[in-house]
Amino acid sequence: MTATAGTTQLLKLALRRDRVMLPAWVYVLTATAVGTAYSTKSLYDTVAARRDFALGIDRNPANLALEGRVFDANSIGAISVWKIIVTGAAMVAVMSLLLVIRHTRADEESGRLELVSAGVLGRSAALGSALLTAFTANLVLFVPAVAGLIAVGLPVAGSVVFGLCWLATGMMFAAVAALTAQATESGRTANGLALSVLGVSFLLRAFGDAAGHDGPSWLSWLSPLGWTEQLRPYAGDRWWVLVLPVAFIVVCLGAAFTLVGRRDLGAGLIPPRLGPAEAVASLSSHFALAWRLQRGVLLAWTVGFAVSGAVLGSEADSVGSLVGNSRGTQDLLRRMGGHSGMVDAFLSTAMGILALLASAYAVQAVLRLRAEETGQRAEAILATRVGRVGWASGHAAIALLGSTLLMLVGGLMAGLVHGARGGDMGTRLPHVLWSAIVQLPAVWVLAAITIALFGLVPRFVMAGWGVLAVFLLLGQLGPVLRLKQWAMDISPFTHVPKLPGAEMRFTPVVWLVVVAAALTAAGLTGFRRRDLG
Amino acid sequence: MTDAISVSGLVKTFGRTRALDGLDLTVRSGEVHGFLGPNGSGKSTTIRILLGLLRPDSGDVRLLGGDPWRDATTLHRRLAYVPGDVTLWPNLSGGEVIDLLGRLRGGNDPRRKAELLERFELDPKKKGRAYSKGNRQKVALVAALASDAELLILDEPTSGLDPLMEEVFQRCVIEERDGGRTVLLSSHILSEVEALCDRVSIIRKGRTVETGSLADLRHLTRTSIAAELASPPDGLADLPGVHTSDIDGTRVRLEVDTDRLDEVLTHLTRAGVRSLTSRPPTLEELFLRHYEDQAADR
Ligand SMILES: Nc1ncnc2c1ncn2[C@@H]1O[C@H](COP(=O)(O)OP(=O)(O)O)[C@@H](O)[C@H]1O
Ligand SMILES: [Mg+2]
């Protein structure tokens, strides 16, 4: 039996298992790429408009950090894909790494792999087929995305390079996941490790890009996502940069396949530690259990929010002064109420982004309920005197209070840093903190939607992510696509007062709280009435 | 004597699958009741209904005098449950799980817990994913047995245990019964139930096909024998209690009522035994035969 025997059978199985998820990813990513390119292209159809736009980006560290640089202000292609090249590549990376872990370590942990390993299956077959699955997914994404960009009217060579940006990023993070899958015994930890590599890549690139011409822009070159950007589609098409991702993939995969051949099935590189023989006295309620299961994740998110808040707070002041003096941006500046208006708008947008992230936290925290249920661990708890509503409320409370904590920490850090830079803590800190707090009802609505899905239609609880994605796209692309107001109104984030700067309006906030409470109640009632499992 | 569990005409469907189709089950207080059925016959579904985890489509269910769906949390104070498929939290140690489940149920006796850990040779310091299936099952068993619940509901609790541990388990169950507790023990292995249970209910495809004491069900317990003899036996097929014999020269296969085993073995040794294997029939074989017999009688 060779090491790779059985790879094709496993690949078929994997593609079958992912027959819904993969097309969904491909559809959303392709639609995002082509839709954004199409609408941006028609908005900036003159050279002057493009120059202005590029200049605006170049002077705005927040844009540079979040979305990256524009390498050729004259190129319509470079402008059209600027917004999605790095952010989209990060999403492709998430798709690829989740796929690989799902078909390697997660299967190994659950024992499914053992079941098939007893058949004719080589040691490397699972890893090989998982990587092939990821490769297939990336190819299936490559073709329509490139074809769509060409159809929109962008140059062929640039479109192919753009496709390669995403393909290379996807495969780099598939390779990272192949490696982290060997390191630990838990799929969850393996996912976490791979996602942190992605996070570090994003941060390195963000600092490098925002550093400007005199700063440490070489930081971008340390990051796989930086290489993606440096392929420069439509702005020089630098094919040779592909050498870096290819080398990276070869090294990671070499290490991963070496490890997989040496270790036992089920074992990781990092040996599991022993636990206590007895539970501490505080571990005596279902709420304590929920807290124990979720506290590590919440701690990691809190640190992330503290750092992001501080970074956003430190950037706020530079935004207004750096916009530049071309006529278009001056107009914009005036319309937004001068320098302080710009800063306010930046802070409000920044808190909106934090709110989307806090919603993602809330959704995944609620999803723990379903994981506990289908993993049959809920059964053991619900066969004791813990009631259903009580049990579900424990995890729901962590989702709601945890996301609240995240927004408070993010807002507090942003406010402290922003206040300290301006030497005006007394007014700036409460301003920023308020703009964070006012986002909370919208975040709770996301948690509540997921709770309602869990209670009423548990099979579709993953749609919580879909709802979040729709709200995200509405917020990001709605203004670009000039969507009708009623469509924008679907998203709770549309109703959040744009503090600081705009006027505080209590009615929409109260309504959001009411909607969140009603959905939570509906979800809990539904769960009390339905079958478990 | 009152009934700890009484179920009649229980129906439960999942989409188009009719998992329970008019099931009846009565468990008297203080008895060890075997709940026997092949895989997929509806044992776990019945137990989940008894625990209020699933809601029945129709039928009457009483558990410890209450309604398991409506009074779930109050009833749960009085029972302990070992699921068929024990999964643990990956980052909690076995000892933590035992303590937690005990506390959620209303408190475990630490001395009893220590004693059980020793008897089952379980290391409570390992984390969830480091346990094998049998060890995960032991964690759930220790948690349940260490409680002072009056009713134990055990869903195929020995499916991952090795024979030595199975014996420990059997001794524990006997002690529980002597202590006055009621036990519902589901299984798909006839011999296991034979060793422990006062009364047995046998289900098949969601219906109860037999219920009664083991003596009542004696006609169901047969032994399969395969032997290689020194010379062809004569008259073996005509002995009382011998069924479906297949004699091919010196090679013999037959099934015999377990209480007639003695005479058949004497007969075989007279012909000279070269090799012999015997095993209890599987439940599937038993059903096959049982229903063939019924069809033939008609
Ligand atoms: N949640 C469920 N959804 C659909 N079918 C189920 C579900 N639970 C059990 N079944 C079906 O009900 C039948 C009885 O299952 P179960 O009670 O688990 O049997 P046993 O425990 O006796 O092996 C099986 O056919 C099984 O496939
Ligand atoms: Mg079962």
Side-chain angles (χ1 to χ4, degrees):
Chain A
M1 189 168 87
T2 65
T4 53
T7 306
T8 27
Q9 284 96 312
L10 278 187
L11 173 64
K12 279 187 204 149
L13 178 69
L15 289 176
R16 210 185 118 64
R17 280 172 63 195
D18 289 334
R19 66 189 182 281
V20 178
M21 209 169 74
L22 281 186
W25 272 102
V26 168
Y27 177 77
V28 169
L29 287 166
T30 308
T32 312
V34 179
T36 314
Y38 178 74
S39 49
T40 321
K41 185 168 168 280
S42 50
L43 278 180
Y44 302 98
D45 47 1
T46 66
V47 176
R50 291 203 283 274
R51 288 228 172 128
D52 240 22
F53 181 68
L55 211 59
I57 295 165
D58 210 30
R59 299 264 166 95
N60 184 343
N63 271 338
L64 289 172
L66 287 177
E67 275 124 350
R69 292 164 60 188
V70 174
F71 290 103
D72 181 354
N74 293 320
S75 158
I76 183 121
I79 302 255
S80 300
V81 297
W82 162 74
K83 210 176 172 67
I84 43 158
I85 179 160
V86 173
T87 44
M91 281 167 83
V92 176
V94 171
M95 169 187 85
S96 306
L97 69 87
L98 289 180
L99 259 181
V100 169
I101 303 284
R102 178 171 145 81
H103 292 295
T104 52
R105 180 54 75 178
D107 268 2
E108 198 169 330
E109 187 187 14
S110 71
R112 275 192 292 269
L113 197 57
E114 196 168 359
L115 194 68
V116 285
S117 286
V120 198
L121 208 61
R123 290 190 142 273
S124 313
L127 183 57
S129 74
L131 288 164
L132 283 177
T133 310
F135 188 59
T136 312
N138 277 287
L139 268 189
V140 170
L141 172 63
F142 177 84
V143 175
V146 172
L149 292 175
I150 295 172
V152 164
L154 295 178
V156 174
S159 303
V160 171
V161 173
F162 175 85
L164 287 174
C165 287
W166 277 14
L167 181 68
T169 315
M171 289 319 291
M172 277 194 282
F173 283 91
V176 167
L179 205 51
T180 62
Q182 312 310 318
T184 71
E185 292 192 356
S186 135
R188 195 178 277 272
T189 318
N191 270 332
L193 281 177
L195 282 169
S196 12
V197 174
L198 179 62
V200 170
S201 310
F202 194 90
L203 281 181
L204 281 175
R205 188 209 54 75
F207 281 120
D209 285 349
H213 303 289
D214 332 316
S217 58
W218 49 269
L219 280 175
S220 299
W221 285 96
L222 297 182
S223 152
L225 279 176
W227 306 336
T228 304
E229 198 186 13
Q230 290 295 345
L231 274 161
R232 302 195 181 176
Y234 310 108
D237 297 338
R238 298 204 289 183
W239 298 84
W240 62 265
V241 177
L242 276 176
V243 172
L244 293 169
V246 169
F248 183 84
I249 292 169
V250 168
V251 170
C252 288
L253 291 189
F257 277 104
T258 311
L259 289 173
V260 93
R262 295 215 179 140
R263 65 179 180 82
D264 292 338
L265 189 68
L269 284 184
I270 306 161
R273 277 173 305 171
L274 289 180
E278 287 181 359
V280 292
S282 60
L283 186 60
S284 58
S285 69
H286 63 282
F287 192 81
L289 174 65
W291 173 241
R292 172 75 185 269
L293 296 176
Q294 298 223 26
R295 65 184 180 192
V297 177
L298 180 59
L299 180 69
W301 278 80
T302 310
V303 172
F305 264 67
V307 174
S308 313
V311 170
L312 291 170
S314 76
E315 274 175 358
D317 264 331
S318 14
V319 175
S321 54
L322 284 174
V323 165
N325 41 19
S326 73
R327 195 148 41 77
T329 46
Q330 290 292 332
D331 271 355
L332 186 67
L333 192 58
R334 202 165 329 108
R335 259 186 289 137
M336 296 190 73
H339 176 241
S340 77
M342 263 321 255
V343 173
D344 285 351
F346 173 83
L347 283 171
S348 155
T349 311
M351 290 306 139
I353 292 171
L354 286 188
L356 280 167
L357 290 171
S359 307
Y361 168 80
V363 170
Q364 68 85 30
V366 173
L367 288 180
R368 249 306 165 89
L369 282 170
R370 184 64 180 161
E372 290 291 294
E373 183 187 359
T374 53
Q376 292 173 341
R377 292 179 293 266
E379 205 167 285
I381 301 295
L382 291 173
T384 67
R385 60 180 163 184
V386 175
R388 288 195 184 201
V389 173
W391 175 74
S393 307
H395 289 274
I398 290 179
L400 292 166
L401 297 176
S403 52
T404 306
L405 172 76
L406 293 181
M407 286 310 290
L408 289 179
V409 167
L412 187 68
M413 288 305 287
L416 285 175
V417 175
H418 182 54
R421 287 196 75 184
D424 183 12
M425 193 68 87
T427 51
R428 284 185 160 192
L429 175 60
H431 260 168
V432 179
L433 200 52
W434 253 115
S435 76
I437 290 172
V438 83
Q439 307 276 349
L440 284 172
V443 175
W444 295 336
V445 167
L446 259 301
I449 288 173
T450 318
I451 294 170
L453 288 169
F454 167 72
L456 298 169
V457 279
R459 253 172 245 258
F460 302 107
V461 70
M462 285 294 166
W465 287 122
V467 173
L468 179 60
V470 168
F471 293 167
L472 171 78
L473 290 177
L474 277 177
Q476 288 279 305
L477 299 180
V480 181
L481 300 177
R482 309 231 164 97
L483 288 183
K484 293 258 165 28
Q485 189 59 38
W486 67 261
M488 300 293 293
D489 281 345
I490 296 173
S491 164
F493 297 101
T494 310
H495 304 280
V496 173
K498 305 279 175 283
L499 295 187
E503 204 183 318
M504 175 66 198
R505 299 208 324 279
F506 285 96
T507 323
V509 173
V510 170
W511 270 111
L512 288 175
V513 173
V514 170
V515 168
L519 286 169
T520 304
L524 293 178
T525 315
F527 178 59
R528 205 178 57 190
R529 295 199 182 151
R530 72 171 171 84
D531 283 349
L532 201 75
Chain B
M1 208 193 273
T2 53
D3 292 336
I5 296 173
S6 71
V7 170
S8 67
L10 190 59
V11 175
K12 176 74 194 175
T13 52
F14 297 105
R16 255 188 263 156
T17 320
R18 210 170 165 83
L20 299 181
D21 185 17
L23 183 124
D24 304 313
L25 172 69
T26 306
V27 178
R28 297 178 190 148
S29 288
E31 75 176 0
V32 178
H33 194 99
F35 190 37
L36 203 56
N39 288 322
S41 55
K43 302 180 295 291
S44 299
T45 305
T46 309
I47 288 176
R48 290 203 176 102
I49 289 175
L50 287 173
L51 291 165
L53 300 172
L54 299 178
R55 196 208 274 268
D57 293 345
S58 66
D60 278 336
V61 190
R62 303 291 291 170
L63 175 85
L64 301 171
D67 174 342
W69 179 266
R70 217 190 44 228
D71 313 324
T73 47
T74 40
L75 293 176
H76 290 171
R77 289 163 204 260
R78 298 161 61 191
L79 62 83
Y81 166 54
V82 175
D85 222 336
V86 182
T87 49
L88 302 174
W89 295 271
N91 42 3
L92 260 63
S93 71
E96 287 180 305
V97 172
I98 293 171
D99 286 349
L100 174 70
L101 289 177
R103 288 168 192 169
L104 292 180
R105 206 175 274 131
N108 278 350
D109 176 356
R111 275 228 316 276
R112 174 105 177 108
K113 183 188 89 176
E115 181 206 323
L116 284 165
L117 283 176
E118 192 165 324
R119 284 171 74 175
F120 279 105
E121 295 170 14
L122 181 68
D123 176 1
K125 285 190 186 152
K126 281 198 188 166
K127 297 263 179 99
R129 59 174 151 265
Y131 286 119
S132 63
K133 173 168 165 53
N135 280 329
R136 288 200 303 271
Q137 217 145 25
K138 287 186 203 168
V139 170
L141 274 171
V142 170
L145 292 170
S147 74
D148 57 358
E150 59 191 273
L151 171 65
L152 294 176
I153 297 183
L154 314 176
D155 191 358
E156 306 208 19
T158 58
S159 52
L161 298 187
D162 60 43
L164 228 61
M165 284 303 138
E166 209 170 316
E167 217 175 290
V168 174
F169 166 76
Q170 296 195 350
R171 250 178 288 135
C172 286
V173 171
I174 290 168
E175 286 167 23
E176 297 302 324
R177 184 194 48 198
D178 295 346
R181 301 215 239 176
T182 312
V183 181
L184 177 67
L185 172 67
S186 103
S187 173
H188 66 272
I189 303 161
L190 187 61
S191 57
E192 176 178 288
V193 178
E194 274 183 292
L196 286 175
C197 297
D198 307 307
R199 290 192 332 125
V200 178
S201 293
I202 303 182
I203 68 165
R204 181 171 187 267
K205 293 186 180 160
R207 281 172 170 276
T208 312
V209 291
E210 295 275 348
T211 182
S213 71
L214 275 176
D216 295 338
L217 302 182
R218 193 49 74 191
H219 66 283
L220 286 176
T221 65
R222 291 179 186 171
T223 305
S224 301
I225 290 179
E228 175 85 46
L229 303 177
S231 58
D234 49 283
L236 189 59
D238 305 326
L239 285 178
V242 173
H243 307 268
T244 55
S245 54
D246 171 12
I247 301 169
D248 172 17
T250 56
R251 211 172 294 186
V252 173
R253 283 178 178 284
L254 53 80
E255 285 184 3
V256 53
D257 290 343
T258 304
D259 47 359
R260 302 286 187 161
L261 207 49
D262 206 12
E263 291 142 57
V264 171
L265 284 180
T266 321
H267 208 86
L268 289 176
T269 28
R270 222 179 291 140
V273 178
R274 288 279 153 80
S275 80
L276 180 110
T277 55
S278 82
R279 61 177 174 81
T282 67
L283 212 52
E284 293 290 0
E285 285 173 334
L286 208 140
F287 279 127
L288 205 62
R289 196 176 55 226
H290 189 61
Y291 283 86
E292 271 172 0
D293 290 355
Q294 275 188 350
D297 288 350
R298 245 180 254 134

